[in-house]
Structure formats: structure tokens, C-alpha cells
């Protein structure tokens, strides 16, 4: 079997035989796969009337466990956005009835953002559908191959997720 990356690598090999294009074998496949996965995820989110950023914030709250609340600062770290962006997102989610702002009992100036029942229902449905699609995407791999791939990808990601990421 041949994929688009095989054709790309062959073309570069013919045009620039002086370069080692071996990294394309892995990284171009990861890049192409990421684009396909993004399309699949967006389709799930559209089906649940969610934007990707909404899903990110709601799942961060859902993963926190009962009572499904976090400070805006913790949400910032979980979603990798600026404080101004997070304030805007919380405002929009609150208007949609998916989160509430509550006073922080440990900080009189602070707030906690809590997932509402409607928000929990929406994120639970979207997450279940997303997992069903992702299981289908991985159906061609054996459990052992999935574990191997997961470990290899973890090895590639760890330097980026560390406190001192690569340049």
C-alpha cells in the first residue's frame, strides 16, 4: 500500500537527493493525521452544537470531578489560552447556560467556574460520540499496535509538554 506521504517522500527524494527526507515518513503522517482528526472532531462538535474551544473548557471542568468546578487560572493552564480569552469564553459559556460563576470560598476576590447540569449533559454526549468515532478510526490497529503507537507518540510529545519545551 502507498499513501500520500510515500508519494511526497519519493518526489522530494528525486528532487533533492542531497537531503535526508526520512523525518517526513513520520512527521508528515502525523501532520496529515492531525488534520483528518481535526475534521472528525469538528463534525462531532457540530452535531452537538459546540465549538472546539467550548468542548475544551467543558471537558476541563468535567474531568475535574464533582462538583465540576475550577478557577479561571486552572482553566487557563488546562486550555493554554490567555486570561482575556478565558474571560470571554467563560462569559459566553455562562450566557449559554453551560457554566456558572461562583464566589471562591478561599479567595474573596476570586471566582470558581462550575459546569451546569446542561453543560454536563452536552459535554457527556459529545465526548461519548467522539470516543465512538475515535474507536472506529483505530479499528485497523491491534491492541498491541495501539499501545506501541501510544508509547512512541508519548516519547515524541514529552519534550514539548515539559516545563522547558523545545524551541
Amino acid at each position: 500500500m502507498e499513501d500520500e506521504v510515500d508519494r511526497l517522500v519519493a518526489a522530494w527524494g528525486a528532487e533533492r537527493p542531497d537531503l535526508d527526507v526520512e523525518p517526513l515518513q513520520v512527521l508528515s503522517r502525523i501532520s496529515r493525521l492531525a488534520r483528518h482528526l481535526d475534521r472528525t472532531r469538528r463534525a462531532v462538535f457540530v452535531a452537538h452544537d459546540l465549538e472546539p474551544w467550548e468542548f475544551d473548557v467543558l471537558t476541563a471542568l468535567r474531568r475535574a470531578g464533582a462538583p465540576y468546578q475550577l478557577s479561571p487560572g486552572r482553566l487557563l493552564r488546562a486550555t493554554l489560552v490567555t486570561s482575556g480569552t478565558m474571560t470571554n469564553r467563560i462569559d459566553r459559556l455562562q450566557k449559554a447556560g453551560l457554566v456558572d460563576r461562583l464566589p471562591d470560598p478561599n479567595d474573596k476576590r476570586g471566582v470558581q467556574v462550575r459546569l451546569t447540569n446542561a453543560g454536563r449533559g452536552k459535554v457527556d454526549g459529545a465526548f461519548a460520540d467522539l470516543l465512538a468515532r475515535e474507536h472506529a478510526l483505530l479499528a485497523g490497529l491491534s491492541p498491541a499496535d495501539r499501545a506501541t503507537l501510544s508509547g512512541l507518540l508519548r516519547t515524541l510529545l514529552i519534550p514539548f509538554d515539559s516545563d522547558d519545551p523545545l524551541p
Side-chain angles (χ1 to χ4, degrees), residues 7-60:
R7 292 183 283 279
L8 178 144
V9 167
W12 276 118
E15 291 298 315
R16 291 296 310 268
D18 58 309
L19 295 177
D20 177 7
V21 296
E22 188 271 335
L24 298 176
Q25 294 281 0
V26 173
L27 301 176
S28 289
R29 283 189 173 93
I30 290 172
S31 178
R32 290 179 63 78
L33 185 58
R35 286 189 294 249
H36 289 296
L37 293 174
D38 187 54
R39 288 181 187 152
T40 298
R41 287 177 163 223
R42 286 182 186 276
V44 169
F45 301 152
V46 165
H48 288 271
D49 195 30
L50 283 171
E51 293 291 331
W53 66 265
E54 291 173 312
F55 184 80
D56 287 347
V57 175
L58 296 176
T59 56

Side-chain angles (χ1 to χ4, degrees), residues 74-157:
R74 296 260 324 263
L75 283 170
L76 287 173
R77 287 186 290 284
T79 60
L80 302 174
V81 299
T82 65
S83 61
T85 298
M86 182 53 67
T87 298
N88 180 275
R89 289 179 176 185
I90 294 167
D91 288 345
R92 291 172 65 183
L93 289 168
Q94 187 173 20
K95 286 178 187 170
L98 302 176
V99 302
D100 285 324
R101 277 188 174 97
L102 305 169
D104 187 332
N106 301 318
D107 179 358
K108 292 180 183 181
R109 296 172 293 150
V111 298
Q112 291 284 306
V113 180
R114 181 182 290 173
L115 194 60
T116 64
N117 287 336
R120 183 174 170 194
K122 187 173 276 268
V123 75
D124 282 354
F127 187 58
D129 285 353
L130 177 63
L131 286 176
R133 295 237 186 143
E134 290 182 351
H135 276 287
L137 290 170
L138 293 172
L141 296 175
S142 70
D145 286 344
R146 289 181 204 180
T148 298
L149 180 58
S150 176
L152 292 169
L153 292 171
R154 180 182 303 108
T155 299
L156 285 176
L157 280 173

